[in-house]
Amino acid sequence: YMYVLYLSKQCGADFVKVNQSAPDGMELTQGAKYVSFDGDSDRIVYYFKGSDGKFCLMDGDRIATLVHNKSFTFNTDTK
């Protein structure tokens, strides 16, 4: 017998980003936050259901920008 393991099949970061939807079989709950990684965990996407009920995605570029802006805010306090 041959068994094939599908790591991140229809649920990984690429699937979520390309399809702009939650992983197969997953229903998003308003107010909850979700994350998906790719197979070797070097890519991440963060997603949630917006107040208008639409799927909202934050990929690595947006996450990096938010982290940068937040750390810049922390580093500009001269007191």
Side-chain angles (χ1 to χ4, degrees):
Y1 293 99
M2 177 187 263
Y3 294 97
V4 179
L5 174 65
Y6 292 102
L7 185 62
S8 300
K9 183 177 181 183
Q10 298 178 318
C11 66
D14 286 336
F15 176 85
V16 172
K17 185 171 183 176
V18 168
N19 292 289
Q20 293 290 302
S21 66
D24 282 358
M26 184 176 182
E27 188 70 33
L28 298 184
T29 303
Q30 188 74 35
K33 309 297 188 249
Y34 303 89
V35 64
S36 286
F37 299 90
D38 72 335
D40 60 359
S41 297
D42 68 348
R43 213 165 320 129
I44 182 175
V45 291
Y46 174 81
Y47 49 99
F48 55 95
K49 188 181 215 178
S51 58
D52 59 0
K54 292 183 180 179
F55 179 82
C56 298
L57 176 80
M58 295 180 70
D59 62 11
D61 294 336
R62 287 186 182 181
I63 294 168
T65 300
L66 287 173
V67 169
H68 175 268
N69 289 343
K70 193 64 170 174
S71 64
F72 180 76
T73 301
F74 291 145
N75 293 330
T76 58
D77 186 11
T78 57
K79 292 181 184 180

